[in-house]
């Protein structure tokens, strides 16, 4: 049975898992949302409990402790979390995307060493691939370089913003290896030579443990390397659709929360809200269409049949709809939606992040433009 063919019993198990996750979110995450947003609380206990409930392992195979229900279910879990707190949903994306990398890593030693613990949330993981993805799109230079030391690598450089880090965590990154190409690897955050420096304060997502990561002659052992230079190009091609699609779950949850504000506001102010652009029914229709399309593309990503162009277009659409829905929610809420403690204010900042985090909306449009030109020329 493929990951996308779910038996009735598996569907029942999935429903039970969703119920358990929803209960945890309502009981333990919801009371922390203001503290996460305003004080930068990192909700580690909730993150680990989500791992125990299977919040990161839907696209992981059973030999590594996963459930093989597919990327679409993983995106749905991220969406449910983002409906409460997009900061925690972004951590979920970091964790589940690290598992996605490891699941498809050509180096079996790295997969066996890290995947079961990452998929279960026992080992927390950041993904520092933003610079590499932008570098490969001709947006910026590569920030990490590596030299050979026998079978190991010695890494130097720095990455400005990497999330879900801390003592006992790992971070998955890539570096240019002299005269060979690129390698992708995992590094322990406690590794000698690796330093985590605080970032300037962000307007949102302060509860994500985001650091400037500096590498000074950091040694990477061979069994920490997910893909060697000869494997890198094919590996990036394989994981990129899932990397991008996974972020859509954050946008979908932000839109869900915005629609709730719009609906609740209309209970008392529909007579005046009706004059606003972007009404509930229109936004809900767009949301349902994007969610359905994302599910279809996720099934293709599971089986390595993705076309990159529609994936990029879907991710761009999620950014655009997140921005539109959160602005509409704030306008529907009126003056109280401008209060710092109101959810509409937080959602505006969360949606802006959806449009800025790599691949940012401008990055997406750049790659979409290039692929469309390639098709026209062909």
């Amino acid at each position: 049975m493929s990951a996308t063919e779910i038996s009735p019993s598996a569907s029942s198990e999935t429903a039970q898992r969703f119920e358990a996750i929803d209960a945890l979110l309502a009981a333990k995450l919801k009371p922390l949302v203001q503290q996460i947003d305003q004080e930068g609380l990192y909700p580690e206990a909730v993150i680990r409990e989500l791992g125990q409930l299977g919040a990161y392992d839907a696209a992981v195979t059973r030999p590594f402790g996963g459930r093989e229900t597919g990327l679409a279910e993983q995106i749905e879990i991220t969406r449910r979390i983002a409906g409460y707190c997009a900061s925690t949903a972004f951590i979920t994306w970091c964790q589940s995307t690290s598992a996605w990398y490891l699941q498809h890593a050509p180096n079996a030693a790295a997969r066996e060493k890290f995947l079961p613990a990452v998929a279960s949330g026992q080992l927390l993981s950041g993904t520092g691939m933003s610079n590499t993805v932008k570098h490969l799109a001709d947006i910026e230079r590569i920030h990490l370089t590596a030299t050979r030391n026998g079978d190991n690598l010695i890494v130097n450089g720095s990455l400005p913003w990497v999330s879900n880090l801390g003592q006992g965590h790992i971070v998955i990154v890539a570096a240019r290896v002299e005269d060979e190409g690129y390698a992708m690897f995992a590094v322990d955050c406690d590794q000698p030579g690796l330093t985590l420096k605080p970032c300037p304060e962000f307007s949102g997502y302060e509860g994500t443990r985001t650091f400037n990561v500096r590498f000074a002659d950091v040694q990477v052992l061979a069994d920490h390397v997910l893909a060697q230079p000869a494997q890198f190009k094919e590996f990036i091609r394989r994981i990129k659709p899932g990397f991008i699609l996974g972020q859509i779950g954050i946008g979908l949850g932000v839109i869900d929360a915005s629609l709730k504000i719009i609906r609740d506001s209309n209970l008392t102010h529909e007579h005046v809200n009706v004059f606003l652009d972007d009404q509930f029914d229109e936004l809900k229709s767009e949301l349902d269409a994007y969610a359905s399309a994302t599910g279809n593309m996720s099934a293709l990503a599971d089986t390595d049949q993705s076309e990159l162009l529609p994936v990029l277009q879907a991710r761009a659409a999620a950014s655009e709809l997140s921005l539109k829905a959160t602005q509409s929610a704030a306008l529907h809420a009126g003056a109280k939606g401008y209060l710092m403690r109101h959810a509409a204010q937080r959602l505006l900042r969360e949606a802006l992040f959806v449009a800025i985090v790599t691949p940012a909306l401008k990055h997406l449009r750049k790659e979409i433009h290039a692929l469309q030109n390639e098709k026209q020329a062909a």
Side-chain angles (χ1 to χ4, degrees), residues 50-312:
L50 284 168
Q52 294 170 9
L53 294 178
Y56 316 125
D57 67 5
V60 174
T61 54
R62 289 186 180 88
F64 296 97
R67 292 179 287 111
E68 295 189 34
T69 47
L71 184 60
E73 182 177 314
Q74 183 61 64
I75 292 169
E76 174 61 23
I77 291 169
T78 304
R79 175 181 183 174
R80 287 167 181 253
I81 296 169
Y84 285 92
C85 174
S87 179
T88 307
F90 180 59
I91 295 169
T92 300
W93 175 82
C94 292
Q95 192 72 23
S96 60
T97 299
S98 294
W100 176 261
Y101 299 156
L102 290 160
Q103 177 65 58
H104 299 292
N107 183 357
R111 189 165 59 248
E112 291 165 4
K113 182 178 184 66
F114 294 113
L115 180 52
V118 169
S120 67
Q122 293 176 10
L123 176 63
L124 300 181
S125 177
T127 162
M129 291 299 293
S130 173
N131 168 243
T132 303
V133 172
K134 287 189 280 190
H135 172 69
L136 296 174
D138 296 322
I139 294 173
E140 64 185 33
R141 66 177 180 83
I142 194 79
H143 290 333
L144 299 184
T145 58
T147 55
R148 290 284 178 190
N149 180 24
D151 292 334
N152 304 331
L153 297 172
I154 304 297
V155 181
N156 285 280
S158 65
L159 298 173
W161 298 302
V162 185
S163 303
N164 201 33
L165 303 184
Q167 289 187 335
H169 296 214
I170 62 169
V171 58
I172 299 178
V173 297
R176 187 198 298 274
V177 183
E178 57 181 359
D179 302 324
E180 295 184 50
Y182 305 93
M184 189 164 163
F185 46 88
V187 182
D188 298 315
C189 287
D190 303 325
Q191 182 89 0
L194 189 144
T195 307
L196 303 180
K197 295 288 187 181
C199 295
E201 185 177 0
F202 297 112
S203 65
Y205 291 78
E206 275 289 283
T208 57
R209 284 257 187 94
T210 299
F211 293 96
N212 176 301
V213 186
R214 301 181 185 179
F215 295 75
D217 292 330
V218 174
Q219 180 169 250
V220 177
L221 302 178
D223 64 356
H224 285 53
V225 178
L226 280 67
Q228 296 284 357
Q231 303 163 319
F232 182 81
K233 183 176 181 180
E234 174 60 20
F235 181 47
I236 285 292
R237 183 206 61 77
R238 176 66 183 93
I239 62 175
K240 187 173 180 178
F243 169 97
I244 294 170
L245 289 167
Q247 294 178 342
I248 293 178
I250 306 171
L252 296 178
V254 167
I255 298 163
D256 286 333
S258 299
L259 288 175
K260 182 180 184 302
I261 290 173
I262 293 170
R263 185 188 61 218
D264 291 349
S265 297
N266 282 344
L267 293 175
T268 56
H269 287 75
E270 186 174 17
H271 62 289
V272 64
N273 283 344
V274 71
F275 293 100
L276 291 169
D277 296 331
D278 306 318
Q279 293 290 315
F280 180 95
D281 289 343
E282 173 193 341
L283 292 168
K284 182 67 163 59
S285 178
E286 287 188 63
L287 172 63
D288 291 345
Y290 289 141
S292 176
T294 299
N296 293 336
M297 283 183 276
S298 299
L300 294 174
D302 285 329
T303 53
D304 196 16
Q305 300 179 70
S306 296
E307 288 186 33
L308 187 56
L309 180 57
V311 168
L312 296 169

